[in-house]
Amino acid sequence: MRPIIGITSYVVPATWGVWHDLPTALIPNDYVAAVEQAGGRAVIIPPDGRDPDVLRVLDGLLLAGGPDVEPVRYGAEPEPLTETRADRDAGEFPLVRRALELDLPILGVCRGMQVLAVAAGGTLHQHLPDVLGHERHRPAPGIYGEHEARFEGGSMIAKLMGDDVGVHCYHHQGVADPGTLTVTGRAEDGLAEAVEDPDRRFVLGVQWHPEVVRDRRLFGALVEAAS
């Protein structure tokens, strides 16, 4: 059997056919395709804050990108440009904490990396242009930023990425303090681009969007760890 990889998702109004603005559990199909092309079986997980019991039938967990994490979860007040979804936080944080207890393989993408960091006791920058002085990590609505990342020698992400270090990013927040995780990659401006937990078999967060290019290196590593 293919390893079953759960992908966290949104519930947002969506329109198709004759149906308009129906509350819909969805996720960009790039995530599903990336998991399937890497040999996994993708299962979409709608937000559910009641319990993390779904993990009992999963072999791995993919924390997808999305809205900002609620600042209260890392002891901060929300800033004007912070946009949160309480339902996703309520559903994802119990999943992450239980998955870490079970040593279930986890890949966090963009928001997913930030969720990992906050779950590990870390904090976030709420608006990167205020910290970095530029908007290259989210240059325009719907436009990915492109840059190169630097990875720590010997780290999991360095071994996976090799010499191809170009990444596609779209975010206005970032990890300020990774908590108990280890920062293993940074952008040219010093922002954390990758975090890992070397004490677990596979816990990796990346600030960019590898699903956009169906990056078999990262999704293949998740599927392999879940096998």
Side-chain angles (χ1 to χ4, degrees):
M1 290 180 59
R2 290 177 289 167
I4 300 173
I5 308 298
I7 307 174
T8 57
S9 68
Y10 302 82
V11 173
V12 293
T15 298
W16 68 96
V18 299
W19 310 109
H20 298 274
D21 294 329
L22 291 183
T24 307
L26 57 79
I27 197 69
N29 195 58
D30 284 338
Y31 290 99
V32 174
V35 167
E36 292 178 346
Q37 289 179 14
R41 178 68 166 92
V43 174
I44 297 173
I45 307 173
D48 183 342
R50 288 172 290 184
D51 58 59
D53 287 358
V54 68
L55 295 176
R56 291 184 294 183
V57 297
L58 300 181
D59 300 305
L61 180 63
L62 172 54
L63 301 171
D68 302 329
V69 174
E70 295 172 301
V72 68
R73 293 186 177 271
Y74 50 93
E77 293 292 326
E79 297 179 5
L81 296 176
T82 296
E83 299 181 0
T84 63
R85 284 295 303 265
D87 60 335
R88 281 199 66 174
D89 287 350
E92 289 182 12
F93 276 92
L95 284 178
V96 170
R97 293 190 173 107
R98 183 59 178 150
L100 290 170
E101 291 174 0
L102 296 172
D103 200 17
L104 196 73
I106 306 172
L107 174 61
V109 171
C110 197
R111 165 192 159 87
M113 169 171 149
Q114 296 168 15
V115 170
L116 280 172
V118 172
T123 62
L124 305 179
H125 297 300
Q126 290 191 49
H127 192 55
L128 292 176
D130 295 341
V131 178
L132 302 176
H134 65 78
E135 298 190 12
R136 291 194 293 274
H137 294 280
R138 190 178 67 175
I143 302 297
Y144 288 98
E146 296 184 32
H147 61 87
E148 292 188 347
R150 304 188 306 271
F151 303 114
E152 293 292 328
S155 65
M156 180 196 309
I157 191 63
K159 294 174 184 176
L160 290 173
M161 295 295 287
D163 295 329
D164 181 6
V165 296
V167 299
H168 294 73
C169 61
Y170 189 80
H171 58 102
H172 82 112
Q173 297 200 341
V175 171
D177 176 353
T180 59
L181 300 177
T182 301
V183 175
T184 54
R186 293 191 181 274
E188 297 150 334
D189 55 21
L191 184 69
E193 284 286 332
V195 294
E196 303 177 21
D197 186 341
D199 294 328
R200 290 183 169 86
R201 57 184 173 133
F202 188 93
V203 173
L204 174 64
V206 296
Q207 190 58 78
W208 66 93
H209 282 273
E211 79 283 359
V212 173
V213 294
R214 311 285 201 274
D215 195 329
R216 287 178 178 266
R217 295 168 297 183
L218 303 191
F219 292 98
L222 172 64
V223 170
E224 181 178 358
S227 300

